[in-house]
Amino acid sequence: MTTAILQVLGDPKGYKTLRYVIDGKEYKECLSSLAIYEWLKDCGKDAEIILLVPDSLITKIESDTDRAVELLKDRETFRERILELLDGVEADVLMIPSVGIYSGKYTAHFEGSVENTIIYIFKELVRRNIDEIYADVSTGQNIYTTSMLEALRKYVTYRKLRYILQGESGISLKLAYVPPIFVEGQEVNVELHDFDVKAFFSLPKLNPKDICVDRDKRIELQRKYGEFFDELSKDLKTLKMAFNAVKYNVPLVFYHPEILNLDIDTRDKESKLLNILEELEESRKIIAEGNKLIVKRNVLNGTNVVNTFFALALLSSIIDFWRERIDEPELNSILKTFKELYENLGLDVNARFLERDIRGIEERAEELSGEKLLLDLYAIGNDQKPKKSSDPKRNFFAHSGFLKEITRVRREEDRILLRYDVELARKDIVSWLQDPR
């Protein structure tokens, strides 16, 4: 398990050594994150401290604009400078995008959007794949603390979607609260409270190609990464089919890679998207004009960026389910596997309809020898020829996907196995799952 402690940094020259009290234990540190780190260490946990440092703090730590430009362009040197001002504490420093106008010995203009700040923090949490987070919400300028909180909210949702089919939470998040500080050496109590959000089994709305607000930049990215975005769009179509197969109770499709191919590397897609976002951040323009510093960024479309990650997380959860739980399409195995899945997702109605349809097939297949279309089982013991469905699409979804004209049933001793007649049904099933309405 990866554990991280997050804290937004204000002026690094302004922090005093305090007596932080956590769970009855006292820790003398200049930052609450350091106290939490020591407390976790006492609890037998290893953790990483990540200081979120707005790049606007350059006006506090560097008086020369040319030197400021150098620091902003070199993240490692910026990190070393911050840690030096904090008397060499051991921590990672994440330079996050600022927005607005800041004054020191010179004026700094940061052009962009708070969306960039939120997405940059979110991106780093995804990249680091953190399982447990302690986040101090008591320090730093309000706009950056609330940006961290919003990024955490999105990350918790992302992690929950990543494990939603498995019925796991996927993340633990606690917020740390510290009261106002007045004098050095003051004793302050650190309160830790669980923070949670709900993640619903729903399909995110997004356009992964529109991750930038600026039209020209979008065109440039699509030209440069056209193949990647095309692959991503294809994967999202697969996600839509898989999502609808679960939502509308069509389990048998998961046993047919010819219809629903879930052999997809979502980690590779996430990695490439993270790299594109990092490239966008690194393409910012940093200009020194006399006593003025200007930092220009391409404004991100936060909704499309985050929803793309949500979609990939959901697809990853579905793929894991497919790889771990899908074996052979034996009647009772299908029922057991998907009843558990529907319970995890709160789709109890699906479970009832699936059991009804499974038991119906089981009854009709009692005297079956070999393999037949489900349609033909309706003719056993009946002189009349069975009728085909007048509305195949409606009946497909009304009977757990076991449409009698396309579902083949085979008995092997005491086992009953199902499969679709792929030659007859593939195009129809793909079309129906892409648009169930």
Side-chain angles (χ1 to χ4, degrees):
M1 176 180 283
T2 305
T3 303
I5 306 161
L6 271 60
Q7 182 171 12
V8 176
L9 201 67
D11 184 352
K13 301 173 184 177
Y15 288 95
K16 305 177 179 68
T17 298
L18 304 174
R19 293 181 293 128
Y20 292 101
V21 178
I22 308 174
D23 198 22
K25 296 180 180 180
E26 184 179 292
Y27 303 91
K28 292 182 179 180
E29 301 289 351
C30 64
L31 296 173
S32 59
S33 53
L34 296 172
I36 294 170
Y37 173 85
E38 292 298 331
W39 172 70
L40 288 174
K41 191 175 178 181
D42 286 346
C43 295
K45 282 188 177 182
D46 190 24
E48 176 187 22
I49 299 172
I50 303 174
L51 300 177
L52 307 180
V53 184
D55 52 7
S56 56
L57 281 182
I58 198 70
T59 60
K60 302 288 186 183
I61 66 175
E62 187 53 63
S63 58
D64 179 78
T65 54
D66 290 334
R67 177 61 178 159
V69 171
E70 290 179 17
L71 282 178
L72 291 177
K73 287 183 176 179
D74 188 338
R75 293 181 181 277
E76 183 57 31
T77 305
F78 184 89
R79 173 184 179 275
E80 291 172 359
R81 179 74 172 123
I82 293 294
L83 295 181
E84 177 188 334
L85 292 169
L86 292 171
D87 293 327
V89 302
E90 291 187 13
D92 192 4
V93 171
L94 185 61
M95 186 200 299
I96 62 175
S98 295
V99 61
I101 301 174
Y102 298 81
S103 295
K105 293 189 176 180
Y106 51 88
T107 303
H109 292 243
F110 292 86
E111 301 176 10
S113 168
V114 71
E115 285 288 293
N116 291 57
T117 311
I118 295 168
I119 296 306
Y120 195 82
I121 299 170
F122 170 79
K123 171 187 76 70
E124 283 300 307
L125 294 172
V126 171
R127 186 176 68 81
R128 295 162 191 255
N129 196 30
I130 300 170
D131 305 300
E132 183 180 41
I133 298 174
Y134 294 80
D136 188 307
V137 295
S138 306
T139 61
Q141 195 172 357
N142 286 346
I143 188 174
Y144 302 113
T145 306
T146 55
S147 294
M148 176 186 70
L149 193 57
E150 184 59 28
L152 287 168
R153 190 190 308 276
K154 295 179 187 303
Y155 182 66
V156 172
T157 303
Y158 161 84
R159 287 291 297 234
K160 288 197 166 187
L161 288 172
R162 176 62 185 81
Y163 298 100
I164 193 167
L165 269 70
Q166 288 69 38
E168 300 173 10
S169 65
I171 184 72
S172 170
L173 171 60
K174 292 183 185 294
L175 300 183
Y177 298 88
V178 180
I181 297 161
F182 300 103
V183 294
E184 187 163 356
Q186 180 178 337
E187 180 182 299
V188 290
N189 188 54
V190 180
E191 293 188 28
L192 298 172
H193 296 278
D194 290 325
F195 183 83
D196 199 9
V197 299
K198 288 186 178 180
F200 299 96
F201 184 66
S202 60
L203 204 59
K205 294 181 180 179
L206 68 143
N207 183 347
K209 295 180 181 180
D210 289 351
I211 61 175
C212 270
V213 171
D214 182 72
R215 181 177 177 275
D216 291 338
K217 192 63 180 180
R218 288 202 307 269
I219 293 172
E220 178 188 327
L221 288 173
Q222 290 170 28
R223 189 184 301 117
K224 186 175 181 180
Y225 297 105
E227 185 177 345
F228 165 72
F229 284 119
D230 288 344
E231 289 178 4
L232 189 56
S233 295
K234 183 180 177 182
D235 293 342
L236 293 176
K237 288 179 181 177
T238 301
L239 168 62
K240 186 175 183 180
M241 286 180 59
F243 173 84
N244 285 334
V246 174
K247 181 179 179 180
Y248 295 103
N249 186 24
V250 186
L252 192 53
V253 75
F254 282 93
Y255 299 83
H256 282 279
E258 323 94 298
I259 300 173
L260 182 64
N261 183 7
L262 289 168
D263 190 14
I264 298 169
D265 188 349
T266 52
R267 288 185 180 180
D268 179 64
K269 300 298 190 306
E270 281 192 345
S271 178
K272 287 179 180 176
L273 186 55
L274 290 170
N275 289 339
I276 291 172
L277 291 172
E278 184 61 30
E279 180 182 313
L280 282 168
E281 171 59 20
E282 290 303 312
S283 69
R284 69 201 185 283
K285 294 179 180 178
I286 306 171
I287 307 163
E289 295 179 349
N291 208 35
K292 184 178 179 181
L293 180 68
I294 302 171
V295 180
K296 295 182 179 180
R297 287 183 168 90
N298 292 292
V299 177
L300 299 177
N301 184 320
T303 300
N304 276 327
V305 172
V306 172
N307 282 359
T308 300
F309 280 102
F310 285 173
L312 287 171
L314 181 56
L315 180 56
S316 297
S317 183
I318 291 172
I319 290 169
D320 283 354
F321 163 77
W322 170 69
R323 286 178 175 155
E324 296 166 4
R325 300 301 308 277
I326 300 302
D327 187 8
E328 60 176 351
E330 191 275 327
L331 209 61
N332 288 314
S333 177
I334 293 173
L335 180 59
K336 181 178 184 296
T337 297
F338 280 85
K339 276 190 74 174
E340 290 177 4
L341 173 64
Y342 295 149
E343 286 173 6
N344 287 341
L345 297 175
L347 300 173
D348 298 334
V349 173
N350 282 12
R352 289 200 293 272
F353 282 132
L354 177 61
E355 184 164 20
R356 176 204 65 185
D357 294 323
I358 289 283
R359 296 309 173 208
I361 293 172
E362 193 174 43
E363 290 174 8
R364 293 186 179 280
E366 282 184 0
E367 305 300 325
L368 176 64
S369 176
E371 182 180 79
K372 288 183 181 292
L373 267 178
L374 183 56
L375 177 69
D376 295 331
L377 294 185
Y378 283 76
I380 296 176
N382 190 337
D383 295 334
Q384 294 181 349
K385 187 177 180 179
K387 294 181 180 180
K388 292 186 178 182
S389 303
S390 58
D391 189 342
K393 182 176 180 180
R394 176 192 173 279
N395 287 341
F396 176 78
F397 287 111
H399 295 284
S400 306
F402 304 130
L403 184 65
K404 57 188 178 184
E405 293 93 333
I406 63 174
T407 305
R408 302 193 71 85
V409 186
R410 183 173 83 255
R411 176 178 281 279
E412 293 181 357
E413 297 179 349
D414 294 333
R415 300 163 68 242
I416 300 171
L417 295 102
L418 305 179
R419 71 178 179 91
Y420 285 126
D421 192 322
V422 177
E423 289 185 9
L424 286 176
R426 183 184 179 282
K427 288 184 179 179
D428 283 337
I429 293 174
V430 169
S431 173
W432 295 338
L433 287 176
Q434 286 178 345
D435 184 10
R437 295 172 296 175

